[in-house]
Amino acid sequence: MSDWGVGDQVVDDAELLVTELVTNAVIHARTAVTLEVEAADGTVRFKVSDESPRRVEIKSPSPESATGRGLILLDQIASEWEVTHTAAGKHVSFSLITDQHGSAVG
């Protein structure tokens, strides 16, 4: 992402969200996981895919719970996100917005 001129805050947000989504896929899907990243028009888009038909759901963890916050973070940080179910599994995609200089917008 540094080759694309993406700012540090966006990189930090991306690392957090990708880590959460890949961890969810490894723990819950237990299949192969792929990550795709692309940058265009002031946006960096990420797609984490797995081969499980299991549905994605936002949890309501207790304050003491050590897990269950990944999708909550995704919903709060990403400029947009979606889940696409396919015959081969699912994709969880999200975008982070940058300006022309790679800095976080907003």
Side-chain angles (χ1 to χ4, degrees), residues 81-95:
W81 68 280
E82 67 181 351
V83 179
T84 306
H85 293 273
T86 69
K90 66 183 155 300
H91 313 292
V92 180
S93 303
F94 72 93
S95 297

Side-chain angles (χ1 to χ4, degrees), residues 14-92:
E15 287 177 354
L16 173 62
L17 296 178
V18 166
T19 299
E20 291 291 334
L21 292 179
V22 170
T23 299
N24 283 350
V26 168
I27 291 171
H28 300 295
R30 298 181 183 178
T31 69
V33 177
T34 59
L35 170 65
E36 297 175 41
V37 182
E38 64 181 16
D41 302 322
T43 302
V44 182
R45 184 148 180 89
F46 302 83
K47 180 166 69 172
V48 176
S49 303
D50 64 53
E51 299 169 0
S52 171
R54 186 174 179 170
R55 296 283 187 199
V56 172
E57 64 181 83
I58 295 178
K59 309 255 183 198
S60 296
S62 71
E64 297 81 26
S65 179
T67 63
R69 292 178 180 78
L71 293 178
I72 294 169
L73 290 169
L74 182 65
D75 197 50
Q76 292 176 347
I77 296 171
S79 57
E80 64 180 5
W81 68 280
E82 67 181 351
V83 179
T84 306
H85 293 273
T86 69
K90 66 183 155 300
H91 313 292
V92 180

Side-chain angles (χ1 to χ4, degrees), residues 1-14 44 96-104:
M1 290 174 53
S2 61
D3 289 347
W4 296 331
V6 175
D8 291 343
Q9 182 60 54
V10 176
V11 171
D12 289 347
D13 289 346
V44 182
L96 297 171
I97 297 174
T98 64
D99 66 16
Q100 300 97 319
H101 306 292
S103 301

